[in-house]
Amino acid sequence: MSTSPDILEGLLRPHSGDDAIDRKALAGLLIEIAQSLKPELRSQQNGVRPGDLQLEQLRTLLVGREIETLSRLTGVVDDPERLAAVIGRVLPTAIAQATSDTRMGHVLAPVMEKAAESSIRTNPGTLVNILYPTIVPAIRKSIGETIDETFQRLNQTLKYSLTWRGLKWRWEAWRTGSSFAEVVLKHTLVYQVEHVFLVHRHTGLLIAHVAAANAVSQDPQLVSSMLIAIQDFVRDSFTGAEHQGLDSVRLGELRLWSEPGPFAALVAVIRGDPPEGLHDTMRDTLSRIHAERHHALESFDGDSAGLGDVEARLRELVVLGEHEPPRARLARLVILTLVLLLLAIAGAWAARWWHNQQLWEGYLERLRAEPGIVITEAGKRDGKFVVSGLRDPLAADPQAVLREAAVNPDWVVASWLPYQSLDPQSVLRRLKASLDPPPSVTLAIAGNRIVAQGSAPRQWLDRANDAAQTLPAGAPGFDLAGVRNEDEADEQQWRAYVARLRAEPGIVITKAEAHDGKFLLSGLRDPLAIDPLVLMVAVGIDPERVTAHFEPYEALDSQSVLKRLKASLHPPPSVTLAIDGNRIVAQGSAPRQWLDRAHAVAQMLPAGAPGFDLAGVRNEDEADEQQWRAYVARLRAEPGIVVTRSEARDGKFLLSGLRDPLAIDPLKLLGEAGIDPARVEAHFEPYQGLDPQFVLKRLQASLNPPPGVTFAVDGDRIVARGEAPSPWISRARKVGSSLPAGAPVLDVSAVRDISEGALGKLRDAIQARSINFDSGKSLPAAGQEQVLDEIANELNELVKLSSTLHAITRMTLTGHADSQGQGTSNLSLSVARAETVRALLKKRGVDPDLLQVRGAGQLEPIADDSSAAAAAARLANRRVSFSIGFEEQP
């Protein structure tokens, strides 16, 4: 028997042709080895002791791979995303292998139907995009065939509508109830369907073939194969034709029409001009063949035994295409008649054309002879005569010349651009039209000049001279030397008037001229100078002929300035104004109001004007002004008053500034100064002065100090002394800190708090007392009456003492309870105890309005009474305590 190591080595050694280890045998052998090494393992039922490291290693060696594989599979199955990824990789292969199983189609059909229905309902455009390549070409083909058929009917109808045969066919159409176009097609269209092929689309094999009796062709099987080859060539060679095919091919007189079907294509070889309706007939025939022989066509493999009756359907197309040809003799007669008629019409047209051409040439010759007209183009275009060029607006009208030449205006298209002709006749016409010379003037052509003779007013002469200056280069000259001026005397009188006007002071002439029979005058005029119209009448000029415009200005000569000063200042009788060289001197006496105005005017005189000397005028209001200055100086010295403006003007005094409401009234000082208040206009804005006296008054009015407090000014401070309640002291300190910068400082350090003296001692004595109660009782314990009496007396004494100090005493009675019982009950009990003490104090003469009540329950103990032996502490907690405060008396 081999040893265990030898057996183990044999199990682990791979055998030839075996690629795996017999793990079951290996596991059994290893368990046997383990039991031989450790006999105690035999007593265990499962043969594995938990926690044994060696056995754990043995288990990993035996089934470690299986455990790892199972763990990975569990992770994939438990994770939806990983499971979906794994299934997605194998699902296409599984479906491909199951295609041969019919059950797959039955299972997927309902799902695919619902998915397609939902997709189309949600996005119909997807289905449209899928069907577009198939439906749109069919619709386009149908519309094209309909349009071709319509044009074919229209062409035949127009061709035979005005012939004898056409009239016969119209009678036939009315008699039979058919349209005229249908009758024309019936009698005129000549075509024959010679061959009809039915070809299998997928294999290219010929299914059936029918030919006309007189048709000649090659092998039908070879023809059908070539047709399919041509179709495939077109689809493969051109982009966009993958799903299309040839539906019509023309070879001389032969036409090849093709109609495709699901399994077979119908091809017809036609000679002549077939109607477009033949497409519909072929399409209907192909549809019936597919409907009747659907399965035979689908399974066609080259054997036509099951499709023998299809040739009958194809024979109908061959019979349908035979038509009777028209009679050739009548056609030749009609053509000959038409040719003769056309020759006659051409001869008449040629004669008329030659006559119109002669009239047109005569019209052009007459037009070229007219002055002021230049022809740049003459010819014929679009069956009409065309003429264009340049025409002076004063030249002859080409339309009038056209009518005189007997040319129909409807045959002529004329285009004339305006221009100015420079020949003497045209220039003479233009001058007469623009200048409109008076009867006393004649205009005539003299060589290369236009000469004017006679007499005319200045207005016409000015216009004529302007026209002569504006004639363009190359035009004849315009000579006006022979025309006499009829207004010469009036112009000499006008020049004399203008010269006299220039000599007047305060008047400047900038423009003086005679134009269009009138005189124009403009310039500058001082308002105090002489009126030009008055001087105009004086020299005998009619003002109606004069247009004058003078801009106002201030003349700077001495006389004009003197006049202006007298007109603006209105000096009193005691003042005289006179010219002294380059100065205007004032002498005499005048009020301050007039002097101020005169000085202001002197300051505003422009540069270059004579000076205005007022040194010789005495001020009549000097005494009143000295009195006013003394009053203003006294007012400035008053505290709380700031003077910002002080002046005397127009006999009155103006005063403005700032005034503290506590300062003296400025109007009271007017009476003391002896100034009439009616002559003073005063305006003072209110403000708060920082003078110590005003600040002291304002503090006393706002703080309302108690009788025991006094204020005094000490340098730059205001010091308060005495006794006051604590709230008043706090308010005073707050007011002192809010005083503006620059104001005196408020010092309240010398004011003593009334609570720190006798009043404070009495308050402390009362607050040190308390009223005790028995457990669960709201009435005071025995022996507390005397304490109540003492507290009542002390409270009454405290109230009297505080009233003398102008303070109000407030007392708060706080009820307490021990920790025994519930908190809400103890709170109610504490409030009841405080109300009881308040009622007992009221009986002893204490004002109840000064007493406030609150309950603290067991929340504010003075001793810890939580232990069972703390009876004394609980007794101390059952009490009513007192709290006293002082308020400022309003």
Side-chain angles (χ1 to χ4, degrees):
M1 181 176 179
S2 301
T3 61
S4 297
D6 295 336
I7 298 174
L8 180 61
E9 184 180 359
L11 291 173
L12 294 175
R13 185 185 302 117
H15 299 282
S16 58
D18 188 8
D19 58 350
I21 299 173
D22 190 351
R23 296 182 181 272
K24 184 176 181 181
L26 178 60
L29 179 58
L30 291 176
I31 292 174
E32 183 180 352
I33 294 172
Q35 291 175 354
S36 64
L37 295 176
K38 290 185 178 182
E40 63 273 13
L41 295 177
R42 296 181 181 274
S43 59
Q44 298 181 6
Q45 295 180 358
N46 54 5
V48 178
R49 184 173 63 186
D52 194 326
L53 180 59
Q54 295 179 352
L55 293 180
E56 288 294 333
Q57 294 177 352
L58 180 60
R59 183 175 61 179
T60 303
L61 181 62
L62 293 176
V63 293
R65 184 182 302 174
E66 287 76 5
I67 293 174
E68 183 181 357
T69 303
L70 183 61
S71 176
R72 290 200 303 268
L73 290 176
T74 304
V76 171
V77 173
D78 293 341
D79 189 350
E81 295 183 358
R82 297 177 60 188
L83 181 60
V86 172
I87 294 175
R89 288 197 295 269
V90 301
L91 185 60
T93 305
I95 294 176
Q97 293 179 357
T99 53
S100 60
D101 193 350
T102 58
R103 293 178 297 173
M104 177 65 72
H106 295 298
V107 173
L108 293 179
V111 179
M112 299 300 291
E113 290 177 358
K114 292 182 179 179
E117 181 180 359
S118 177
S119 175
I120 294 171
R121 186 180 297 108
T122 304
N123 188 7
T126 303
L127 181 61
V128 174
N129 293 334
I130 294 173
L131 297 180
Y132 177 83
T134 304
I135 295 178
V136 171
I139 296 174
R140 184 164 54 241
K141 179 178 179 182
S142 178
I143 294 174
E145 292 175 355
T146 303
I147 294 174
D148 292 342
E149 182 178 3
T150 302
F151 276 107
Q152 187 181 36
R153 290 176 179 271
L154 179 61
N155 181 44
Q156 296 295 333
T157 301
L158 294 177
K159 181 177 180 181
Y160 295 98
S161 59
L162 299 177
T163 62
W164 173 251
R165 183 182 295 178
L167 295 177
K168 289 175 60 180
W169 290 344
R170 286 187 181 277
W171 166 256
E172 182 181 351
W174 176 81
R175 181 174 54 81
T176 59
S178 302
S179 64
F180 178 67
E182 293 178 353
V183 175
V184 170
L185 288 175
K186 175 182 176 182
H187 290 282
T188 60
L189 286 181
V190 179
Y191 75 98
Q192 181 180 15
V193 179
E194 294 187 352
H195 298 275
V196 179
F197 299 89
L198 184 64
V199 184
H200 193 259
R201 293 192 63 182
H202 302 298
T203 62
L205 298 177
L206 180 65
I207 300 174
H209 168 248
V210 175
N214 57 347
V216 179
S217 66
Q218 300 295 329
D219 183 11
Q221 187 66 43
L222 179 60
V223 173
S224 65
S225 299
M226 293 301 296
L227 290 176
I228 296 301
I230 293 172
Q231 294 278 4
D232 294 340
F233 169 75
V234 172
R235 292 193 189 97
D236 296 338
S237 300
F238 299 99
T239 302
E242 294 84 355
H243 304 288
Q244 306 294 329
L246 291 175
D247 58 355
S248 178
V249 177
R250 183 165 185 172
L251 301 173
E253 295 183 355
L254 294 179
R255 294 176 184 265
L256 188 147
W257 284 6
S258 175
E259 287 294 334
F263 303 108
L266 185 63
V267 181
V269 179
I270 309 165
R271 186 180 299 275
D273 295 324
E276 291 297 328
L278 184 59
H279 276 294
D280 295 334
T281 305
M282 293 176 61
R283 197 176 296 116
D284 293 340
T285 301
L286 184 61
S287 298
R288 288 198 302 269
I289 292 173
H290 275 80
E292 295 172 358
R293 294 291 184 267
H294 178 80
H295 296 290
L297 292 175
E298 182 180 5
S299 59
F300 178 76
D301 57 356
D303 185 8
S304 303
L307 297 170
D309 57 345
V310 172
E311 294 185 359
R313 294 291 184 185
L314 302 183
R315 181 67 62 182
E316 296 176 359
L317 294 176
V318 175
V319 175
L320 182 64
E322 296 178 356
H323 283 249
E324 180 182 0
R327 289 171 294 180
R329 182 181 301 176
L330 182 60
R332 287 194 298 269
L333 180 60
V334 170
I335 292 173
L336 180 60
T337 303
L338 290 176
V339 169
L340 294 176
L341 181 61
L342 289 175
L343 291 176
I345 294 174
W349 177 84
R352 184 172 181 80
W353 175 85
W354 183 84
H355 175 70
N356 292 334
Q357 193 68 24
Q358 294 299 316
L359 295 178
W360 172 250
E361 293 294 337
Y363 165 68
L364 292 179
E365 291 298 328
R366 294 185 59 179
L367 207 59
R368 289 189 178 94
E370 288 290 337
I373 292 180
V374 178
I375 297 176
T376 59
E377 180 184 2
K380 199 169 186 181
R381 187 186 308 125
D382 298 333
K384 289 190 176 183
F385 296 108
V386 177
V387 62
S388 61
L390 306 176
R391 173 181 175 267
D392 191 289
L394 299 178
D397 186 4
Q399 290 296 112
V401 178
L402 190 67
R403 289 191 294 269
E404 294 175 359
V407 178
N408 189 354
D410 296 336
W411 299 347
V412 180
V413 177
S415 175
W416 302 101
L417 294 178
Y419 89 113
Q420 286 189 354
S421 178
L422 298 183
D423 64 276
Q425 291 185 359
S426 298
V427 174
L428 178 61
R429 291 177 185 174
R430 190 171 298 107
L431 289 175
K432 288 182 178 180
S434 60
L435 293 178
D436 189 20
S440 58
V441 176
T442 59
L443 300 179
I445 297 175
N448 196 28
R449 295 186 308 149
I450 298 175
V451 179
Q453 298 288 339
S455 62
R458 165 62 64 180
Q459 178 181 0
W460 188 88
L461 274 175
D462 292 341
R463 289 172 50 233
N465 282 315
D466 292 341
Q469 295 296 327
T470 57
L471 287 176
F478 187 24
D479 188 1
L480 292 166
V483 181
R484 181 177 56 84
N485 183 8
E486 297 176 353
D487 299 328
E488 183 64 28
D490 293 342
E491 291 179 0
Q492 291 179 356
Q493 189 180 22
W494 170 254
R495 287 192 290 270
Y497 164 71
V498 172
R500 182 176 175 182
L501 200 62
R502 292 183 189 276
E504 289 291 333
I507 291 181
V508 178
I509 303 297
T510 59
K511 181 180 180 181
E513 60 183 21
H515 187 70
D516 295 338
K518 289 191 175 184
F519 301 109
L520 303 179
L521 184 65
S522 61
L524 305 176
R525 174 179 175 268
D526 192 289
L528 300 178
I530 189 172
D531 188 358
L533 293 179
V534 175
L535 187 62
M536 190 183 302
V537 175
V539 299
I541 296 177
D542 184 7
E544 295 294 333
R545 299 180 60 189
V546 179
T547 301
H549 177 71
F550 286 92
E551 292 287 340
Y553 88 112
E554 290 186 357
L556 298 182
D557 62 278
S558 299
Q559 291 184 358
S560 299
V561 173
L562 179 60
K563 290 179 182 179
R564 192 172 299 106
L565 289 176
K566 288 181 177 179
S568 61
L569 292 177
H570 297 291
S574 57
V575 176
T576 59
L577 302 180
I579 297 175
D580 183 6
N582 196 29
R583 296 185 308 151
I584 298 175
V585 180
Q587 299 288 339
S589 62
R592 164 61 67 182
Q593 178 180 0
W594 189 88
L595 274 174
D596 291 342
R597 290 174 47 236
H599 281 290
V601 170
Q603 294 294 328
M604 292 187 296
L605 287 176
F612 188 23
D613 187 359
L614 292 166
V617 181
R618 181 177 54 85
N619 183 9
E620 298 176 352
D621 299 329
E622 184 65 28
D624 293 341
E625 292 179 1
Q626 291 179 357
Q627 190 177 22
W628 172 254
R629 287 192 291 271
Y631 163 73
V632 173
R634 181 179 176 184
L635 199 61
R636 293 182 189 274
E638 289 291 333
I641 292 181
V642 178
V643 177
T644 58
R645 182 185 179 191
S646 171
E647 62 181 20
R649 189 174 63 185
D650 298 336
K652 289 191 175 185
F653 302 106
L654 304 179
L655 184 65
S656 61
L658 306 175
R659 173 179 175 267
D660 193 291
L662 301 177
I664 190 172
D665 188 359
L667 295 180
K668 292 182 179 180
L669 294 179
L670 284 175
E672 298 177 4
I675 299 176
D676 183 9
R679 298 180 62 190
V680 179
E681 295 181 3
H683 177 71
F684 285 91
E685 293 288 339
Y687 88 112
Q688 286 189 355
L690 299 181
D691 186 90
Q693 297 295 332
F694 294 123
V695 175
L696 177 59
K697 291 180 181 180
R698 202 167 286 113
L699 288 174
Q700 289 176 341
S702 61
L703 291 177
N704 188 21
V709 177
T710 60
F711 288 99
V713 178
D714 184 6
D716 59 348
R717 297 186 307 149
I718 298 176
V719 181
R721 293 183 174 84
E723 294 182 345
S726 177
W728 186 90
I729 296 174
S730 299
R731 189 161 59 89
R733 288 175 179 166
K734 185 181 296 184
V735 171
S737 63
S738 63
L739 289 174
V745 178
L746 176 60
D747 185 2
V748 295
S749 61
V751 179
R752 186 166 48 89
D753 191 347
I754 59 175
S755 62
E756 297 178 357
L759 198 63
K761 293 179 181 179
L762 189 56
R763 177 197 61 189
D764 294 340
I766 296 173
Q767 290 183 160
R769 296 178 181 275
S770 62
I771 307 299
N772 297 324
F773 294 79
D774 293 332
S775 177
K777 303 297 183 180
S778 61
L779 295 175
Q784 298 298 311
E785 289 79 2
Q786 183 178 357
V787 178
L788 287 170
D789 293 339
E790 293 174 357
I791 291 175
N793 293 332
E794 292 173 352
L795 279 176
N796 289 330
E797 184 180 356
L798 184 65
V799 170
K800 291 178 182 180
L801 182 58
S802 62
S803 64
T804 60
L805 297 176
H806 297 276
I808 299 176
T809 302
R810 299 288 184 189
M811 177 181 290
T812 301
L813 307 179
T814 304
H816 301 272
D818 56 22
S819 61
Q820 301 297 316
Q822 297 181 353
T824 56
S825 300
N826 289 335
L827 182 61
S828 301
L829 181 60
S830 65
V831 174
R833 288 171 178 173
E835 290 288 352
T836 300
V837 173
R838 181 173 181 270
L840 293 174
L841 291 177
K842 179 180 178 183
K843 289 181 180 181
R844 287 168 172 76
V846 179
D847 187 2
D849 294 337
L850 301 178
L851 303 176
Q852 297 178 354
V853 174
R854 65 181 287 267
Q858 62 189 32
L859 301 178
E860 299 176 5
I862 61 175
D864 185 9
D865 60 355
S866 59
S867 63
R874 288 195 295 272
L875 177 61
N877 288 337
R878 296 191 298 270
R879 75 190 190 284
V880 172
S881 61
F882 301 93
S883 177
I884 299 174
F886 301 104
E887 297 179 0
E888 182 182 355
Q889 190 175 21

